[in-house]
């Protein structure tokens, strides 16, 4: 029997998923991974799929993905993200594909409650696909950053940096 690999962000994504469920935004699926980028570098990732039936929108929107990624920054010179974490969202389409992910206006290590609030704003269309962070300002979203950072953000950052050093 193989023991599942533990990743630095497992506990964080579990905390966010539990907060979403508790708030009535049921998690349909969730997974963490250490993904390859450009076939050379790795990054940490998580995808949480919300069950749109739990919010009564299954007819209007098949699903909503909340995406968390932590990048090493090594591939930034090739147009990939700088070092650190980011939250994004993408709507699922009827055919199972997604739109291009859009940044969520939360800290990279956002408190679970902040991710819940941001997800609610996506569901209510206050935050729309295409709202993005550019040159230090949000384009299309005027509400600023939502909520604060997770209470264990420093520990998570250290664990991600340790993971990066081993990769």
């Amino acid at each position: 029997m193989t023991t599942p690999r533990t990743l630095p962000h497992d506990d964080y994504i579990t905390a966010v998923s539990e907060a979403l469920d508790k708030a009535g935004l049921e998690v349909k699926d969730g997974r963490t991974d250490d993904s390859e980028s450009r076939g050379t570098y790795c990054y940490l990732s998580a995808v949480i799929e919300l069950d749109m039936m739990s919010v009564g929108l299954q007819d209007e929107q098949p699903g909503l993905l909340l995406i968390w990624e932590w990048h090493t920054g090594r591939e930034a010179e090739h147009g990939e993200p700088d070092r650190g974490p980011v939250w994004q969202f993408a709507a699922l389409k009827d055919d199972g594909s997604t739109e291009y992910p859009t940044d969520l206006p939360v800290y990279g290590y956002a408190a679970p409650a902040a991710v819940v609030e941001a997800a609610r704003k996506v569901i209510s269309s206050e935050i729309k696909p295409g709202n993005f962070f550019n040159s230090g300002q949000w384009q299309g979203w005027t509400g600023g950053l939502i909520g604060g950072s997770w209470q264990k953000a420093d520990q998570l950052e250290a664990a991600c940096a340790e993971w990066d050093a081993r990769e």
Side-chain angles (χ1 to χ4, degrees), residues 61-104:
Q61 184 177 335
L64 178 66
L65 300 180
L66 301 176
I67 304 158
W68 183 86
E69 293 180 350
W70 186 89
H71 290 264
T72 63
R74 286 179 269 182
E75 66 272 24
E77 66 188 39
H78 301 291
E80 295 297 320
D82 291 330
R83 182 179 180 87
V86 64
W87 274 101
Q88 299 177 311
F89 72 94
L92 282 173
K93 299 178 182 179
D94 289 329
D95 64 4
S97 66
T98 63
E99 62 189 26
Y100 191 79
T102 297
D103 291 344
L104 270 178

Side-chain angles (χ1 to χ4, degrees), residues 1-16:
M1 183 170 173
T2 305
T3 304
R5 185 171 164 186
T6 302
L7 295 170
H9 57 306
D10 288 344
D11 290 342
Y12 176 51
I13 299 305
T14 297
V16 170

Side-chain angles (χ1 to χ4, degrees), residues 41-62:
Y41 303 114
C42 291
Y43 62 96
L44 297 170
S45 66
V47 177
I48 300 170
E49 181 181 349
L50 296 182
D51 181 355
M52 299 313 283
M53 289 183 72
S54 69
V55 294
L57 292 177
Q58 71 277 7
D59 293 334
E60 297 173 37
Q61 184 177 335

